Amino acid sequence: MLGLIGVVLSLALLIYLAFRGWSLVLLAPLTALVAATFAGVPLLGTYTEVFMPAMGGFVVKYFPLFLLGALFGKLMNDSGSAYSIARWIVDKVGARHAILAVVAACGILAYGGVTAFVVVFAIWPIARELFTEAGIPKRFAPAAISMGAFSFATGALPGTPQIQNAVPAPYFKTDAFAAPGLGLLAAAIIFAGGVAYLNWCVRQSQARGEGYDNGPLMQGEQVRGLGEDEEVTVPRDTPFWTAILPIIVVISLNLLLVRVVFPAMDFGYLAEERFGGTSIDKVGGNWAIILSLIVACLLVMVLNWKRLAERQKLLNAGATSAFLPIMNTASEVGYGAVIAALPAFAVIRDAVFGVSSNPAISMAVSTNIVAGITGSASGGLAIAMEAFGADYMQRALDAGIDPEFMHRVSTLAAGGFDALPHNGAVITVLAVTGLTHRQAYKHIGMTCVVIPLCALVVVLSVGSAVGSF
């Protein structure tokens, strides 16, 4: 019982202090050791032999994805490509449909592999301009940006190169295009439901006479956002086809590699001990995303050579920006490994497995809980897969369930409770827009937690009834 109290206390501390702005690199090992203290296990041994190997293993496995995602995002932003895509969408749908334009622009960039934090900074100046022109309350902007950058484009759309879509692949021997029909179904529900909800809220607020920044929730001291005074200083002459082509390449090359090129090649050497005794089924998904992002980065540079000034400085900045996100996520994985190694975890594990005899439902619940605890989709999913992945794969095979269905359910489940108020990306988008949780989180919660959970329920129901497609 004491060990279980320690786990609960450490989780509460992790959530509270993360919400207060403490670094996860510091919090994760400290709160993990709180749980270890209550469990009565050796602290130094737990830190050096459990926490650090798990943290390091995540970095070893996924650092190329974080690095290339950060580089690609930096190149897309500084070349003016992100601005060009957003501007093109706005020109097509008009400022009157500002919510749709912002969500679509963020979704396209995220689907192309641009990291969520880059999307936020790239789109906010345009969203601010649109919302002001259309008289849409500013407090709806964080939800529109978050929904496009953090939800359907990262875990639902088949082929997305975001980290959430790569984590389950080695466990289920799948690739980024697993269960494409179910993924598209979920994406449609989240996109349509979120846009309809936000538009309804906007109409209600405008009917009450609320403008861009003069509603009841905007009374009192105004907070200046991190991006409030920034102007769009990137090139504005980037043609749309130049901007969108690298994103098309990421998705299409990814599909070509995992479905055509790799199956036609002999990777028998991977079974050798010096290569870890693995197989292309386990590493092919990551390899395809890595190669696709490399080609896309090179393509952005070639197409925008004259627009990209100080290229060495740009690439250095992009590479540097990859370190904090991966260290935060890896620290959360280390925390999860410590919790999973404690005797009290057996109680949690039995409770999770007992939720349902259907492994897909059980996995959806466990992944959502862990993602909510850590406030991270990728970190929560990595912890859940490390703790339960092999068991869920075996249970799925025993029940005759397609591993692709399990893959898609896991990525969707990671994108539900992860967006609770202590989520790092949520805190970032609020800081950039200069809004508080009281002013804007309600709508983030609806579009990034409630509606995605509804989509997950639909996918679970449809997939369990008719199978994966």
Side-chain angles (χ1 to χ4, degrees):
M1 176 58 80
L2 192 60
L4 192 57
I5 293 174
V7 171
V8 174
L9 177 61
S10 73
L11 293 178
L13 284 172
L14 179 65
I15 293 173
Y16 174 74
L17 294 176
F19 179 76
R20 300 289 296 177
W22 285 77
S23 168
L24 287 171
V25 177
L26 292 173
L27 285 182
L30 291 176
T31 51
L33 293 179
V34 168
T37 300
F38 275 78
V41 299
L43 298 187
L44 282 176
T46 298
Y47 178 65
T48 62
E49 305 308 314
V50 180
F51 183 94
M52 288 306 300
M55 178 180 177
F58 183 86
V59 174
V60 168
K61 185 180 293 186
Y62 296 113
F63 179 71
L65 300 186
F66 278 85
L67 173 63
L68 292 169
L71 284 174
F72 184 56
K74 184 67 173 173
L75 288 167
M76 288 290 289
N77 183 65
D78 288 23
S79 67
S81 297
Y83 178 85
S84 175
I85 291 171
R87 191 75 256 174
W88 183 86
I89 294 173
V90 170
D91 291 341
K92 293 299 180 183
V93 304
R96 184 167 62 91
H97 300 290
I99 295 289
L100 174 64
V102 171
V103 173
C106 291
I108 289 174
L109 292 174
Y111 187 44
V114 180
T115 56
F117 296 97
V118 173
V119 173
V120 172
F121 280 97
I123 296 299
W124 168 233
I126 301 172
R128 185 176 67 227
E129 175 185 321
L130 281 176
F131 277 46
T132 303
E133 179 182 343
I136 296 175
K138 173 186 176 182
R139 60 193 179 89
F140 295 109
I145 294 172
S146 298
M147 187 174 71
F150 313 150
S151 61
F152 64 90
T154 58
L157 288 177
T160 177
Q162 296 289 347
I163 185 68
Q164 293 95 305
N165 203 27
V167 169
Y171 299 92
F172 299 123
K173 297 182 180 179
T174 50
D175 57 54
F177 293 87
L182 292 173
L184 289 172
L185 173 62
I189 293 171
I190 297 170
F191 181 85
V195 170
Y197 166 79
L198 289 177
N199 280 330
W200 178 79
C201 291
V202 167
R203 288 194 298 271
Q204 296 293 312
S205 63
Q206 289 178 329
R208 294 190 297 267
E210 185 176 349
Y212 176 71
D213 60 359
N214 63 349
L217 287 174
M218 303 302 292
Q219 300 302 316
E221 182 180 355
Q222 294 287 319
V223 179
R224 303 298 295 182
L226 298 178
E228 194 72 22
D229 298 317
E230 294 180 2
E231 297 296 331
V232 180
T233 57
V234 299
R236 299 194 181 198
D237 62 340
T238 309
F240 175 73
W241 71 267
T242 301
I244 200 67
L245 185 59
I247 289 180
I248 295 174
V249 166
V250 169
I251 304 303
S252 57
L253 182 57
N254 188 2
L255 177 62
L256 183 67
L257 288 171
V258 297
R259 296 296 171 93
V260 179
V261 177
F262 289 167
M265 300 176 66
D266 180 13
F267 292 99
Y269 69 88
L270 289 174
E272 298 177 19
E273 185 177 350
R274 57 175 173 159
F275 294 110
T278 186
S279 67
I280 191 61
D281 291 335
K282 294 182 178 180
V283 301
N286 282 353
W287 284 10
I289 295 175
I290 289 171
L291 291 174
S292 299
L293 286 173
I294 289 174
V295 172
C297 286
L298 293 174
L299 184 59
V300 175
M301 294 190 67
V302 170
L303 294 175
N304 300 279
W305 189 259
K306 293 183 179 179
R307 296 186 186 89
L308 293 171
E310 299 183 302
R311 287 176 288 274
Q312 181 180 357
K313 182 178 179 181
L314 183 157
L315 292 174
N316 287 343
T320 301
S321 68
F323 286 94
L324 184 58
I326 193 170
M327 292 306 293
N328 279 338
T329 306
S331 295
E332 291 170 342
V333 172
Y335 172 85
V338 171
I339 299 300
L342 299 178
F345 185 75
V347 177
I348 301 173
R349 183 188 186 94
D350 292 342
V352 168
F353 281 149
V355 167
S356 172
S357 59
N358 185 324
I361 295 176
S362 178
M363 182 180 64
V365 172
S366 63
T367 303
N368 250 305
I369 290 173
V370 178
I373 288 169
T374 60
S376 169
S378 55
L381 183 56
I383 293 170
M385 288 296 100
E386 185 65 27
F388 307 123
D391 290 325
Y392 280 132
M393 178 60 169
Q394 187 58 53
R395 289 180 63 187
L397 293 176
D398 293 343
I401 296 176
D402 188 349
E404 290 201 6
F405 177 46
M406 300 292 286
H407 177 123
R408 191 54 56 206
V409 167
S410 68
T411 62
L412 291 172
F417 287 150
D418 72 302
L420 291 177
H422 63 290
N423 175 277
V426 169
I427 294 171
T428 297
V429 74
L430 291 174
V432 169
T433 56
L435 292 165
T436 65
H437 282 78
R438 183 180 67 87
Q439 292 168 326
Y441 181 75
K442 170 185 174 182
H443 306 294
I444 296 176
M446 280 297 298
T447 56
C448 296
V449 178
V450 176
I451 294 176
L453 286 177
C454 292
L456 174 60
V457 171
V458 171
V459 167
L460 282 169
S461 301
V462 173
S464 297
V466 302
S468 178
F469 60 90

